Amino acid sequence: HQLRAEFDLLLDPGEASCLALAISRDLTLVTDDLAARRLAKERNVPIAGTLGILVALVREGMLSLAEANDILAAMIRKRYWSPVDRLDELI
């Protein structure tokens, strides 16, 4: 609760809760929120984002590269900001 209260001053409630949980349980933080990622990095918390999850799903054989690219394209159409248009170069 103390971590959550500290992070509430810096992050939105969802990110604050997730980061506090990741720290308290030694987990990876999954977020695309830049402020949360920076704070997690300062605290040496492993980080994953949407692109990392999609890449991992392709590498594990749970999605084909084409399916993952389709998902990314749909997200971009709905205004998700991505540094890449396709995952090909990340695989």
Side-chain angles (χ1 to χ4, degrees), residues 11 26-27 31 35 40 42 51 55 62 65 72-73 77 80 91:
L11 305 171
D26 197 27
L27 301 170
T31 184
E42 289 174 13
L51 297 180
V55 167
M62 301 172 103
L65 180 56
L72 179 58
R77 282 192 302 275
Y80 173 79
I91 301 296

Side-chain angles (χ1 to χ4, degrees), residues 6-73:
E6 177 186 339
F7 297 149
D8 273 341
L9 300 173
L10 305 167
L11 305 171
D12 289 334
E15 281 81 18
S17 293
C18 290
L19 181 54
L21 187 64
I23 290 170
S24 66
R25 296 194 181 173
D26 197 27
L27 301 170
T28 298
L29 176 68
V30 179
T31 184
D32 290 326
D33 183 84
L34 185 58
R37 292 174 74 91
R38 285 182 178 153
L39 192 53
K41 188 174 181 179
E42 289 174 13
R43 301 276 183 134
N44 296 314
V45 175
I47 305 165
T50 301
L51 297 180
I53 299 290
L54 288 172
V55 167
L57 289 169
V58 171
R59 289 182 177 157
E60 293 293 320
M62 301 172 103
L63 285 177
S64 70
L65 180 56
E67 290 170 321
N69 279 327
D70 287 345
I71 291 168
L72 179 58

